[in-house]
Amino acid sequence: SATHHKGLQCLVRDLNKLYREHAPLNALDHDPAGFHWIEGGDDTNSVLAWERRDDDGNVVGVVVNFTPIIRHGYNLGLPNDGDWVEVLNTDAEIYGGSGVGNEGVVKATNEPSHGRPASAQLTLPPLAVVFLTPGA
C-alpha cells in the first residue's frame, strides 16, 4: 500500500540520517574496538544487543527484538547511568509500526548488568530495533 511504502521511505531516510549523525555507527567499521556485544545469547527472548563506539568513546546501543512479543521491563546493561535517548525506534507509527517504545528516553541506574556498571529497564517493541545514545 502507499501508506506502507511511505513508512518505509521515512524509515530509510531516518536510518541514513542516524548513520551520518552518530559516528559510532560507522567510525570503526573495520576495528574490533568499534563493536561490543551487550547481549548475544538471549535465546529465550530472541533479543540481541550491542554497542557501537568511535575513537572518542561515544557510544550507540542497539537492541533488536526478533519476536512479535513486546518485552516489558527488559533489563539491559549499559556503560553509564543517567538518561539514554531512544534516537530511533523502527516500531514508531511514522514507519507503519505499532508505536510501542520507551517514550523517547530510558533511565539507567547504577545496577550492574551484562558486565556493565549500569542498566536500564526497556520496553522492547515487537519485531523492531531500538537505538540508544547517552543523554546530554
Side-chain angles (χ1 to χ4, degrees):
S1 74
T3 306
H4 176 76
H5 185 68
K6 184 165 173 41
L8 189 59
Q9 281 182 323
C10 287
L11 177 58
V12 170
R13 179 199 66 207
D14 290 351
L15 283 168
N16 284 330
K17 184 171 185 271
L18 184 76
Y19 186 77
R20 283 193 311 270
E21 292 180 355
H22 294 275
L25 292 174
N26 59 60
L28 298 175
D29 272 353
H30 305 290
D31 184 337
F35 178 94
H36 302 279
W37 283 109
I38 299 174
E39 175 57 79
D42 186 354
D43 300 339
T44 305
N45 294 302
S46 295
V47 170
L48 289 176
W50 60 90
E51 295 174 8
R52 289 298 311 264
R53 290 185 172 272
D54 66 13
D55 281 325
D56 298 321
N58 298 306
V59 62
V60 174
V62 184
V63 191
V64 186
N65 178 4
F66 287 97
T67 73
I69 299 162
I70 299 168
R71 304 285 178 203
H72 294 282
Y74 191 88
N75 184 60
L76 186 73
L78 291 167
N80 55 273
D81 65 344
D83 287 351
W84 283 75
V85 180
E86 189 178 60
V87 289
L88 195 141
N89 173 345
T90 63
D91 191 51
E93 290 178 4
I94 191 173
Y95 308 136
S98 63
V100 171
N102 297 280
E103 297 178 358
V105 69
V106 296
K107 291 203 177 295
T109 61
N110 286 314
E111 293 290 323
S113 185
H114 297 96
R116 280 146 183 87
S119 61
Q121 307 299 311
L122 278 67
T123 297
L124 301 184
L127 300 170
V129 185
V130 171
F131 295 83
L132 302 168
T133 60

